[in-house]
Amino acid sequence: MAQGARGADEAAHRPSKRRIALALQGGGSHGAFTWGVLDRLLRESDLEIVGISGTSAGAMNAGILADGLRRGGASEARTNLARHWHDVGALPGFASLAPMWPAGAARTWHLDHNPVFLAHDMQRRVGSPGQTHPANHNPLRRLLARIDFDGLRSDNDAARVFICATHVRTGSRRVFRNAELSLDVLLASACLPQLDQAVEIDGEHYWDGGYTGHPALAPLYLRTDASDVVVAGVNPFVQPDVPRSARGIVDRVDEISFNSTLMMELAAIAFVEELIDAGAATAPFKPLFIHGIGSEVLGAFGASSKMNNDASFLRHLHALGVRSTERWLDKNREAVGRRSTLDLSGLIPPKNGPLSGPSIVRQRRAGLLPA
């Protein structure tokens, strides 16, 4: 066989890049777990990230990821994500202001016994952010200003980015796309109303996007040509016990409310998937394969650990994200572009039988829920 013919034959059999989209949940410092997920996925040379939806910490990861990919590809994205989380770990935090573990206590990453965190927690329950820190300083603003928002807004070849925030007056979801991206958009997506003043954009005010989209999946279906969506989940769906303390109840209510929007969008995708499988839906419907990378250990750290930016904790979460992604790739690499690995059938009520919630067993198998 001639040299040119052999090269053409090899090119014809070489697998093309599989175009994927990412859905990145928020969760404060637990976003470092997603950093680990992204760090590992970016080493897969046959995967092309064409769309990213993010909320809160997931929005920040999304912006840094898309900016790095646009400027210098996967290597640049990995470098920029590592720099961001390194700098987050260098910021003053509850763990650096007071001992994290009382004398004789077992090593843990939550802040339930941290006196500075407890004082701050009490303060935010009796005063508004406008009263407790009227200067409205956000240390993340300086770190996120390194993103080239002008480039993301103007470059049609950049990955499509979708950032979710909640419109305060109407309670509706606002999804900001590339042409609208800015530093304030990312900060709005991560604006918890108990901690920060609402972020004003074009005369309107926004809070954390987790209330209305955690993250938003519809834009990835409607506005990208991705064949697959990988959900990086950091917010626990299942807890082993019923909370009894006041803080535990509040934390669980927050988890349920933040996860509810994601569950509803997954249910909508499951409904379309069932219509396609039954032959009841044709164009403009298209199959979208759904995958989930989660960790069975994040819930065990406790909700207060989301406020812990201790550098060693962030590195620990990154390592967990890398290992979780490696396990998922080992098991599901060949499924990308061919089938879903997250079983959504339990999200659709059975045709005959009582209405019920999602199948916990199926979601555990898929990796979004703890075993």
Side-chain angles (χ1 to χ4, degrees):
M1 181 183 293
Q3 181 74 23
R6 182 167 59 251
D9 184 66
E10 290 174 355
H13 289 86
R14 188 182 301 124
S16 59
K17 285 196 173 188
R18 290 169 286 182
R19 300 166 75 82
I20 66 170
L22 304 175
L24 311 180
Q25 277 198 318
S29 295
H30 289 192
F33 173 85
T34 302
W35 164 36
V37 172
L38 300 176
D39 195 22
R40 182 61 187 85
L41 287 176
L42 286 166
R43 286 185 254 160
E44 294 294 304
S45 59
D46 64 334
L47 298 181
E48 181 182 2
I49 299 169
V50 298
I52 314 160
S53 177
T55 294
S56 199
M60 298 179 187
N61 278 327
I64 297 164
L65 170 61
D67 181 47
L69 288 173
R70 193 191 72 82
R71 291 206 220 192
S75 177
E76 180 85 3
R78 292 180 64 201
T79 297
N80 292 356
L81 284 164
R83 179 178 64 171
H84 173 77
W85 285 102
H86 174 271
D87 291 347
V88 169
L91 293 173
F94 296 114
S96 63
L97 295 173
M100 198 173 341
W101 303 287
R107 181 182 177 93
T108 182
W109 296 111
H110 66 71
L111 300 170
D112 293 352
H113 305 296
N114 183 291
V116 180
F117 172 77
L118 293 175
H120 178 267
D121 187 55
M122 179 62 69
Q123 184 183 52
R124 73 183 178 91
R125 294 175 190 274
V126 297
S128 71
Q131 297 170 318
T132 56
H133 55 103
N136 202 28
H137 171 68
N138 190 327
L140 294 176
R141 179 177 289 275
R142 174 177 57 85
L143 305 186
L144 295 172
R146 296 183 293 214
I147 296 173
D148 180 9
F149 291 103
D150 287 337
L152 289 176
R153 286 192 293 263
S154 61
D155 189 345
N156 291 329
D157 293 326
R160 297 298 89 189
V161 180
F162 307 97
I163 303 301
C164 186
T166 302
H167 189 255
V168 177
R169 290 191 305 103
T170 64
S172 60
R173 177 164 83 183
R174 170 79 183 272
V175 178
F176 294 89
R177 298 161 63 178
N178 286 59
E180 305 165 302
L181 294 180
S182 69
L183 176 55
D184 281 336
V185 165
L186 296 190
L187 294 176
S189 183
C191 177
L192 289 170
Q194 304 92 339
L195 302 176
D196 300 299
Q197 297 179 43
V199 177
E200 183 177 352
I201 301 173
D202 296 332
E204 297 293 342
H205 291 81
Y206 296 91
W207 281 338
D208 195 291
Y211 298 110
T212 50
H214 200 217
L217 299 184
L220 300 176
Y221 178 85
L222 297 170
R223 305 298 180 188
T224 77
D225 61 355
S227 61
D228 300 70
V229 170
V230 179
V231 180
V234 300
N235 215 40
F237 282 82
V238 174
Q239 291 287 6
D241 301 306
V242 175
R244 304 295 181 187
S245 68
R247 180 181 293 111
I249 292 170
V250 170
D251 291 341
R252 186 56 184 151
V253 168
D254 286 344
E255 288 172 350
I256 292 170
S257 62
F258 279 140
N259 281 330
S260 63
T261 55
L262 176 61
M263 297 301 292
M264 286 189 289
E265 290 203 74
L266 287 173
I269 292 173
F271 178 68
V272 172
E273 187 178 88
E274 184 174 76
L275 291 177
I276 293 173
D277 290 344
T282 56
F285 294 104
K286 64 176 182 179
L288 185 66
F289 305 120
I290 307 295
H291 314 276
I293 301 176
S295 174
E296 68 280 2
V297 298
L298 289 181
F301 290 132
S304 64
S305 68
K306 295 177 181 179
M307 301 288 288
N308 182 3
N309 69 316
D310 180 81
S312 57
F313 180 45
L314 301 181
R315 290 193 298 269
H316 180 58
L317 290 171
H318 169 267
L320 288 175
V322 170
R323 289 200 296 270
S324 294
T325 307
E326 287 181 341
R327 286 195 298 268
W328 181 83
L329 286 167
D330 288 344
K331 184 177 180 182
N332 300 301
R333 181 181 278 103
E334 298 307 315
V336 177
R338 295 181 173 89
R339 59 180 174 82
S340 294
T341 58
L342 181 60
D343 186 353
L344 303 179
S345 60
L347 293 169
I348 302 175
K351 293 182 176 63
N352 297 308
L355 297 177
S356 61
S359 167
I360 291 175
V361 172
R362 287 171 177 148
Q363 290 182 66
R364 282 177 176 155
R365 287 188 194 133
L368 274 183
L369 301 185

